[in-house]
Amino acid sequence: PVAEAKFTIEGMVVDNNQTGLADWTMNLTQDGAVINSVITAADGKFAFADLAAGEYTVSETLMEGWSAVSPAEGMSVVTITNASVTDLVFANQLV
């Protein structure tokens, strides 16, 4: 049997100065259910590993006093076909 390929979704959470934001909760959803959650590192980076090909939604849990700038709803739909996605950026600003 051939092992199924596994992929990664990576990105970072930043403020308007492109400074990484630590300790933000990022959720990975598939078919309407959260299948994984991670906390951003000190530099704002996050990663979801060992994923099969398919469609996922990556969303952030906004910290109190912040609003999402990009993507506008604080969520991004990611489709993995045959490569990892490593360039997601979630930008936020203090209200």
Side-chain angles (χ1 to χ4, degrees), residues 6-63:
K6 295 293 184 182
F7 302 100
T8 305
I9 296 174
E10 298 174 28
M12 66 185 308
V13 179
V14 298
D15 65 15
N16 350 15
N17 300 317
Q18 301 299 307
T19 302
L21 297 171
D23 300 322
W24 282 56
T25 300
M26 301 301 293
N27 298 303
L28 185 67
T29 307
Q30 190 173 40
D31 298 326
V34 175
I35 59 172
N36 197 358
S37 292
V38 296
I39 304 295
T40 58
D43 59 3
K45 292 184 179 175
F46 66 88
F48 297 102
D50 293 330
L51 303 175
E55 185 174 280
Y56 299 89
T57 300
V58 179
S59 61
E60 62 185 354
T61 301
L62 280 174
M63 295 281 231

Side-chain angles (χ1 to χ4, degrees), residues 50-80:
D50 293 330
L51 303 175
E55 185 174 280
Y56 299 89
T57 300
V58 179
S59 61
E60 62 185 354
T61 301
L62 280 174
M63 295 281 231
E64 189 173 329
W66 290 81
S67 65
V69 175
S70 171
E73 300 82 36
M75 65 177 53
S76 182
V77 175
V78 177
T79 301
I80 295 176

